[in-house]
Amino acid sequence: MFIKLQINKLSLLYRIFITLLIFLFVASIFFEIVIHTIPQAAYLFPFVKKGFSLICHQNDEKIISLFGFHSLVCARCTGIYLGMFLISIYTMIRPIIKTAGYKLFIIFTAPMIADVIFVNMKLYHYSKISAIITGLLFGSILFVYLYNGLNLLIIENRIRH
Amino acid sequence: MRKYISPFICGFGAGVLQVVPVAKSLACCFIVPLAAFLSLYLELKANPSSEQIQLKKGLIFGLLTGLFAALFGSFFDIFITLITKNNDIVATFPELQKMINGFPLSEELKNEVLRLFNNVRREILQYGFSPLYTVSVIINNLVINSIFGMIGGLVGVQAINSKLKNQN
């Protein structure tokens, strides 16, 4: 009961801050749009591209295009971060108060792992749509865990003090 | 230091894997978060306990794994560039040129950006070292690996705690 009450107390400010951080991350995935808005950002383009190479293979065939603007990460990674962003918007309106068990994590992660394995086994061809959808599922559950983790971390600190 | 031996080992592993092209394309963005999770798991194996792990510990282990991965990853990246006098920036420069030329920018700005990166490319081809490239690699690695390490640590603690709870 105590934990539940504490979790409910996670302020809107925290939630807005988390969503804003994820938004900035997602915006930097579509850095070409940022350049379109702020031309001087072009100086940073190769460095941002190189930065994303740490977390994605950036295979040309797997990169997605949105209104002619190319993403800096593959369709699956875009799906993951978009999933996180969408759920973060949802939590701004309705904060998550239930903690998720690891079984839920497995259920949401399994389609993505299966897709990766099946594509690598050449059971079917790579599809950007399936990559985005499975990525979205994984990203959304990842955010739930991350949100829970941040919640519990704040509670831990409050108890300690 | 002994207390943080598992983030050191896992961070080293992640740093190495980050510069291996095949591993990078397979593991995608999971290398550092998995390394953070593994560091927590190794810590639990080294010091068995049925008590739940604190989130703070997960965060610290994740952060340290990310920082060690950034340290080793940057070192290997810079060292390999120094020896081979070649890297991503050099290899993908024609592609980069094409992309920048395709952006809706003024000719002056396009030329300025390309001149800047041509200088970096020339320095790498000539000396195998570019200060701008080195700084960008270190900053990129530190920021991205720390964030992903902390995410891995926070999620990893919950997975381990959930398992411990079921066992108890």
Side-chain angles (χ1 to χ4, degrees):
Chain A
M1 186 63 185
F2 171 72
I3 286 174
K4 224 175 181 182
L5 281 171
Q6 290 291 324
I7 288 171
N8 271 328
K9 278 185 183 172
L10 187 71
S11 71
L12 182 68
L13 204 69
Y14 272 121
R15 283 178 270 140
I16 291 172
F17 182 67
I18 294 165
T19 309
L20 197 70
L21 283 181
I22 298 173
F23 169 75
L24 286 176
F25 195 80
V26 173
S28 57
I29 288 172
F30 290 100
F31 204 70
E32 288 188 13
I33 300 176
V34 177
I35 291 173
H36 194 75
T37 323
I38 313 161
Q40 277 71 22
Y43 285 108
L44 295 174
F45 180 72
F47 299 125
V48 176
K49 195 172 187 292
K50 169 83 182 156
F52 277 109
S53 77
L54 284 171
I55 50 168
C56 183
H57 50 72
Q58 298 177 319
N59 191 333
D60 281 343
E61 293 162 8
K62 295 176 181 176
I63 274 170
I64 61 163
S65 176
L66 194 74
F67 307 116
F69 298 108
H70 299 94
S71 63
L72 291 181
V73 291
C74 68
R76 200 180 309 281
C77 290
T78 308
I80 294 172
Y81 305 126
L82 270 180
M84 289 180 81
F85 179 57
L86 293 176
I87 297 296
S88 74
I89 291 173
Y90 175 79
T91 54
M92 270 208 313
I93 306 156
R94 265 187 88 150
I96 304 161
I97 51 165
K98 279 182 185 169
T99 49
Y102 72 95
K103 278 176 190 160
L104 202 67
F105 188 78
I106 293 167
I107 292 167
F108 275 71
T109 312
M112 190 183 73
I113 293 171
D115 191 44
V116 172
I117 292 171
F118 293 156
V119 167
N120 281 310
M121 282 171 74
K122 294 191 170 85
L123 284 181
Y124 56 77
H125 290 292
Y126 174 83
S127 153
K128 284 181 187 176
I129 295 168
S130 71
I132 289 179
I133 293 169
T134 54
L136 271 170
L137 281 176
F138 176 71
S140 51
I141 195 69
L142 188 68
F143 181 78
V144 172
Y145 272 82
L146 189 64
Y147 184 89
N148 271 336
L150 290 171
N151 258 339
L152 294 171
L153 192 70
I154 290 165
I155 294 164
E156 252 183 37
N157 274 336
R158 279 180 191 163
I159 292 168
R160 205 175 296 128
H161 288 124
Chain B
M1 183 62 204
R2 214 174 185 185
K3 203 172 142 190
Y4 299 115
I5 195 80
S6 66
F8 180 81
I9 293 165
C10 295
F12 175 78
V16 172
L17 285 177
Q18 273 186 339
V19 290
V20 178
V22 181
K24 207 162 89 173
S25 67
L26 277 175
C28 218
C29 49
F30 299 104
I31 295 176
V32 177
L34 277 179
F37 172 74
L38 198 67
S39 76
L40 280 166
Y41 189 74
L42 288 178
E43 165 69 12
L44 193 73
K45 285 276 164 198
N47 303 303
S49 165
S50 57
E51 268 182 48
Q52 302 257 306
I53 304 171
Q54 282 195 333
L55 262 299
K56 190 185 164 193
K57 189 178 182 181
L59 196 74
I60 292 170
F61 267 59
L63 178 67
L64 284 175
T65 308
L67 288 176
F68 284 128
L71 206 74
F72 289 113
S74 303
F75 171 75
F76 288 127
D77 195 330
I78 295 161
F79 187 65
I80 291 168
T81 303
L82 192 69
I83 291 171
T84 60
K85 291 184 179 172
N86 197 356
N87 63 16
D88 294 355
I89 297 266
V90 173
T92 60
F93 188 74
E95 190 195 320
L96 195 77
Q97 215 168 0
K98 219 186 284 175
M99 285 174 96
I100 289 171
N101 280 327
F103 291 156
L105 305 170
S106 66
E107 281 304 312
E108 198 188 338
L109 188 61
K110 272 182 201 174
N111 290 337
E112 222 174 301
V113 172
L114 285 172
R115 202 182 311 126
L116 180 77
F117 290 101
N118 205 16
N119 281 342
V120 172
R121 181 178 160 265
R122 212 180 44 240
E123 280 173 343
I124 290 167
L125 284 171
Q126 222 168 351
Y127 313 108
F129 179 82
S130 159
L132 193 61
Y133 176 76
T134 307
V135 170
S136 80
V137 163
I138 293 169
I139 292 174
N140 269 334
N141 280 4
L142 281 175
V143 172
I144 289 182
N145 287 346
S146 307
I147 294 171
F148 278 72
M150 285 191 285
I151 292 175
L154 278 180
V155 176
V157 164
Q158 289 173 79
I160 291 172
N161 281 348
S162 180
K163 204 180 163 195
L164 284 173
K165 202 172 148 189
N166 281 357
Q167 277 175 358
N168 289 339

